[in-house]
Structures are given as C-alpha cells and as structure tokens.
C-alpha cells in the first residue's frame, strides 16, 4: 500500500500548514548574536525547538552540520568578538551579563542529544576552544514530552531564553517560549490524555 502523501509544511517553522506556529513567534532584536549548531539528525525532529528559537531572534543563525565549514569556524574564532559556548562541564563558569569590554557578544548553542552534542564538540576543534559557560541550576524544564537525563535538562529554546535573559536582562525573552508551549500542548492533544498520562506524566512528577 502506498504511503500517504506528505502534508504541506510551512517553509519557516517547518510545521504542517494546519499547525503553523509562526503567528506565535516574536521578533526580538538582542545585541547578542546567537549561533545554533544543530546535529543533522535533529533537522526533521517533530519537536524542533532550535528552529523556533532562531525564527524569533533577528540576529540568530541555525547551522545544520556535523562538521563546520571553514568560514564559520574562522568567524567563531574571531578575537574581536566575545564568543561563548553554552555547554555544561566541570568547573565551567556561569553565564553573566555582558561586560563592558567593547566587543560584541556571541552565544553558541548545540542542538541535539547529549551524545550528539558531545560528538559536535569532538569533531570541531573551534568549538572546544571557545570558552564554555553554563546556566545556574534550579529551574526545571517545561519539556514534558521527552525522557530527559534530569529535571534541569532543557530544550534548546529554553536554554537560549534563559541564557539571553541573563546576558541582557532589560529585554523580555519569555515570548520566545509561546510557540514552544503551543507545540507541546498540540503534541499532548494529538496523543490523548490517557496515553500522555501513561507514557509521560508519571516520569515528570
């Protein structure tokens, strides 16, 4: 039996046109440049929060690659920018508001499972050379549809919002989470309350 034809999708958010989230995506213009490096296997994931984050930030880029091309690697290594990689690790400093050192700030995020994110680091020397920063602990993820390694494991869009809120506290970044929350609610509605409760709710209590 032939498979059903693919549903038309939005070119921006990549959701089916009947479930497009673009109306909920804000247009924010922080001074911080955001570069999201997404592992290729995440590109067609149903819960692609990296794309939603990039759509909501005027100066953000979503790069889908396992190995970075030379021009981007050179750009990330530019000493005229204060570039930081948001990635936890031992003795990693917490992210802080932008210092007054005259350099523009760039934040790099890796999108993928922990295994895939570590592979991105392993394959790209430039990422390992970027100073790492981490988020303060204490806030649980709203991502109720995945089995995370811990309650503080965040979706990419959540990590980006929290990091930017610390870097530029004068800007309200919470609107970036509206399409993410709608996406989660839509997924829960489509699976049904009983299935969600059985497969996911018990693991989030």
């Amino acid at each position: 039996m032939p498979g059903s034809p693919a549903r038309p999708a939005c070119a921006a958010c990549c959701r089916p046109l009947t479930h497009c989230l673009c109306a909920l995506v804000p247009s924010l213009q922080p001074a911080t440049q955001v570069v999201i490096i997404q592992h290729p296997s995440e590109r067609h994931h149903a819960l692609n929060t990296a794309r939603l984050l990039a759509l909501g930030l005027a100066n953000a880029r979503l790069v889908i690659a396992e190995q970075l091309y030379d021009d981007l690697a050179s750009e990330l290594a530019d000493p005229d920018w204060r570039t930081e990689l948001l990635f936890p690790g031992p003795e990693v400093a917490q992210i802080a508001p932008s210092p007054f050192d005259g350099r523009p700030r760039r934040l790099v995020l890796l999108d993928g499972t922990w295994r895939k994110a570590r592979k991105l680091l392993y394959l790209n020397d430039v990422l390992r050379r970027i100073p790492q920063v981490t988020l303060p602990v204490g806030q649980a993820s709203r991502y109720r549809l995945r089995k995370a390694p811990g309650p503080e494991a965040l979706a990419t869009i959540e990590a980006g919002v929290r990091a930017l809120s610390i870097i530029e506290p004068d800007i309200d970044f919470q609107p970036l989470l509206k399409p993410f929350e709608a996406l989660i609610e839509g997924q829960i509605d489509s699976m049904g309350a009983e299935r969600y409760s059985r497969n996911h709710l018990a693991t989030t209590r």
Side-chain angles (χ1 to χ4, degrees):
M1 179 183 295
S4 58
R7 290 181 292 176
C10 172
C13 71
C14 294
R15 298 289 297 162
L17 289 178
T18 53
H19 295 81
C20 177
L21 296 170
C22 290
L24 298 175
V25 178
S27 181
L28 303 181
Q29 299 186 11
T32 306
Q33 182 187 89
V34 175
V35 178
I36 308 162
I37 301 171
Q38 183 180 70
H39 191 277
S41 66
E42 298 289 312
R43 182 173 188 172
H44 299 295
H45 196 286
L47 302 175
N48 192 338
T49 72
R51 180 170 294 278
L52 294 176
L53 177 61
L55 285 175
L57 298 170
N59 56 352
R61 279 187 290 167
L62 177 61
V63 178
I64 303 170
E66 195 170 62
Q67 290 187 295
L68 304 185
Y69 49 87
D70 291 344
D71 287 350
L72 178 58
S74 297
E75 183 180 343
L76 295 180
D78 186 349
D80 290 335
W81 283 73
R82 178 186 171 93
T83 300
E84 294 167 320
L85 174 67
L86 186 64
F87 198 84
E91 301 181 2
V92 173
Q94 285 192 8
I95 197 165
S98 290
F100 297 99
D101 66 356
R103 292 183 297 169
R105 194 164 184 177
R106 178 188 293 123
L107 182 67
V108 180
L109 294 92
L110 305 182
D111 181 64
T113 64
W114 287 113
R115 181 179 63 83
K116 293 170 185 174
R118 286 192 291 268
K119 186 174 183 181
L120 288 172
L121 278 176
Y122 174 78
L123 292 175
N124 297 280
D125 290 342
V126 66
L127 294 179
R128 296 197 300 275
R129 291 195 297 268
I130 296 173
Q132 290 180 211
V133 291
T134 189
L135 293 169
V137 299
Q139 290 182 296
S141 172
R142 304 182 194 182
Y143 208 162
R144 294 169 284 159
L145 291 176
R146 68 173 183 177
K147 294 180 180 179
E152 293 172 346
L154 304 178
T156 300
I157 194 168
E158 293 178 298
V161 166
R162 292 184 188 175
L164 289 169
S165 296
I166 294 171
I167 294 173
E168 300 187 46
D170 293 337
I171 298 178
D172 181 11
F173 291 98
Q174 293 304 306
L176 288 167
L177 294 175
K178 289 183 178 179
F180 169 64
E181 291 168 347
L183 176 61
I184 298 298
E185 291 297 331
Q187 293 287 319
I188 292 174
D189 288 344
S190 67
M191 72 172 59
E194 181 179 350
R195 181 183 172 193
Y196 169 68
S197 179
R198 182 174 65 251
N199 295 337
H200 298 278
L201 192 57
T203 64
T204 59
R205 289 174 179 166

